[in-house]
Amino acid sequence: QSLSENTDDYFIKSIERNISINIEAKLKEHNIFPLEIKTNINISENNSISISEVSVTVDNAEYADEIKNIISSNTGDEVNVIVKVKEG
């Protein structure tokens, strides 16, 4: 990879990490403590940034609908929200 591609990757990962941290804070405000949050963003040709997907891993499915509602209300309905339940 070129330096430019590495810089772009770092920039994207940094934004995704920051969004995940903010989503985690919002969930914790509702006493939901996720095991993991992964965010995927897209950067368009005109350099606008949009969140394409948020994946949240929890230890039980009890709050799945609430998690989806909290994330959608903070990111918009066009974001694909996936709630995964860690087995075991």
Side-chain angles (χ1 to χ4, degrees):
Q1 280 188 326
S2 72
L3 182 59
S4 175
E5 288 171 331
N6 285 338
T7 302
D8 288 350
D9 286 348
Y10 177 80
F11 177 71
I12 289 169
K13 295 293 180 212
S14 178
I15 292 171
E16 290 173 344
R17 219 174 5 262
N18 286 337
I19 292 169
S20 294
I21 289 167
N22 286 320
I23 289 171
E24 182 178 22
K26 288 288 182 194
L27 293 175
K28 285 181 176 180
E29 287 175 9
H30 292 85
N31 293 315
I32 298 171
F33 301 93
L35 301 172
E36 181 178 44
I37 299 175
K38 290 186 178 179
T39 305
N40 291 320
I41 64 166
N42 291 323
I43 300 178
S44 68
E45 289 180 13
N46 68 355
N47 292 324
S48 67
I49 298 171
S50 62
I51 304 170
S52 57
E53 183 177 280
V54 177
S55 173
V56 180
T57 304
V58 293
D59 53 10
N60 68 61
E62 179 181 355
Y63 299 108
D65 288 338
E66 188 176 358
I67 289 168
K68 289 179 181 182
N69 290 336
I70 291 166
I71 293 172
S72 293
S73 71
N74 284 278
T75 61
D77 290 332
E78 66 280 355
V79 175
N80 184 29
V81 180
I82 300 167
V83 178
K84 299 177 184 178
V85 179
K86 184 175 182 178
E87 298 298 325

